[in-house]
Amino acid sequence: MATSNTFWLNIKNDFIENRKAILLSVGSLWGACILFGGLMGYYGRGGGAVEAFFFTFILVTAGYVFASMMFSNMKRKESRIAALMLPASVEEKFITRWIAFVPLLFGILIAAFYLGDLSRVFVNYLSNSPVNGKYSHIINLFSVMTANNLVPQSWIYTIISFYFFYQSIFIFGAILWPKLSFIKTLGALWVLQTLIGIIGISIDNRINLSPYDGNDVLIYIGVALNILTIGMYALTYYRFKRSQVIYNLF
């Protein structure tokens, strides 16, 4: 019972301390999507794949930026002391932040997309020359992406897995180097992807994947990404558990 109480108290404490930042961040994101959606509706734009990819790019980037702020209270000595001295276990502190920056943030990003699209439909309906037909309906993000084979349906699982994998890297970077975390992690990713690209080309020349169906390969890639994502969460937890008042990179 004590563990349960400290867990909920930790959630409450995190929300109270970061309430202004949370409301400002979520409000700015949703407000920007509503504004962009309204502009598209006013000018009769959007309602298809271009809008879906535009919003997806913006929201995925926002997801990575927010993920790099997961341990923002570890930047300064004073806030590090307050975080480390909080009467809750390391597991409770980590799980609280993981819930906020992974599943909850994902829901906020999905909501942002549909708020923007709803704004597009609503503003277009109020305009002097509304566009009739499919444009007047809220689009389904996943059906639009798979329509006309723009993105094969079998790719959806792998694409989502890629999002969470890369987000987990930014989460790890948030505890590895709290200051300027997004920029540093982005730079490290460029180097990492270059190395992976070279290794991937080398492996592709030695392994024949032709006996395997393309959809099966995508599923295998998605599963592998999920395993790597869990591994990144484990590394983040381990690094967070070893955090001290005096910041050490390793």
Side-chain angles (χ1 to χ4, degrees):
M1 182 62 69
T3 301
S4 176
N5 288 338
T6 55
F7 176 66
W8 290 111
L9 286 173
N10 182 61
I11 293 177
K12 182 179 179 180
N13 177 77
D14 271 10
F15 177 76
I16 292 175
E17 285 191 351
N18 302 289
R19 179 172 53 189
K20 291 183 179 179
I22 292 172
L23 295 177
L24 180 62
S25 299
V26 175
S28 299
L29 178 65
W30 284 359
C33 289
I34 291 172
L35 176 61
F36 285 133
L39 289 173
M40 284 190 290
Y42 181 79
Y43 291 106
R45 307 295 183 185
V50 175
E51 177 194 351
F53 279 105
F54 171 76
F55 271 118
T56 299
F57 175 77
I58 296 298
L59 294 176
V60 166
T61 303
Y64 296 158
V65 172
F66 287 145
S68 66
M69 301 176 185
M70 183 168 170
F71 298 98
S72 58
N73 60 347
M74 306 295 281
K75 293 180 181 179
R76 296 179 296 106
K77 183 178 179 180
E78 295 79 7
S79 57
R80 288 173 69 85
I81 294 174
L84 295 174
M85 296 299 293
L86 193 68
S89 67
V90 177
E91 292 82 1
E92 291 169 343
K93 296 175 185 177
F94 180 79
I95 291 174
T96 298
R97 300 183 187 196
W98 183 88
I99 291 174
F101 285 88
V102 180
L104 187 58
L105 176 58
F106 187 70
I108 290 172
L109 297 178
I110 296 295
F113 174 85
Y114 284 104
L115 283 173
D117 197 52
L118 181 63
S119 173
R120 172 187 63 83
V121 173
F122 182 69
V123 171
N124 182 255
Y125 176 77
L126 296 178
S127 64
N128 294 326
S129 56
V131 179
N132 297 319
K134 295 181 179 180
Y135 182 84
S136 61
H137 297 85
I138 298 175
I139 65 175
N140 184 312
L141 174 61
F142 299 105
S143 64
V144 168
M145 292 178 67
T146 57
N148 301 320
N149 293 323
L150 291 174
V151 174
Q153 192 169 3
S154 57
W155 284 24
I156 297 299
Y157 168 71
T158 306
I159 290 173
I160 295 175
S161 298
F162 265 111
Y163 164 76
F164 283 109
F165 170 62
Y166 278 105
Q167 187 199 40
S168 69
I169 295 177
F170 281 98
I171 288 175
F172 179 61
I175 189 61
L176 189 63
W177 35 52
K179 295 181 180 179
L180 301 176
S181 175
F182 178 76
I183 297 175
K184 292 178 180 177
T185 306
L186 189 63
L189 268 175
W190 282 340
V191 176
L192 179 63
Q193 288 184 151
T194 301
L195 295 175
I196 291 176
I198 295 173
I199 295 172
I201 293 174
S202 177
I203 292 176
D204 183 61
N205 292 333
R206 290 176 170 81
I207 298 177
N208 183 16
L209 296 176
S210 58
Y212 299 95
D213 182 76
N215 293 337
D216 292 338
V217 172
L218 288 173
I219 292 175
Y220 296 150
I221 292 174
V223 172
L225 287 171
N226 290 335
I227 294 173
L228 290 173
T229 300
I230 294 173
M232 293 303 300
Y233 293 152
L235 283 175
T236 304
Y237 169 76
Y238 176 74
R239 182 65 184 84
F240 179 61
K241 187 176 182 179
R242 295 182 66 249
S243 296
Q244 301 175 359
V245 175
I246 305 286
Y247 176 75
N248 295 311
L249 182 59
F250 299 104

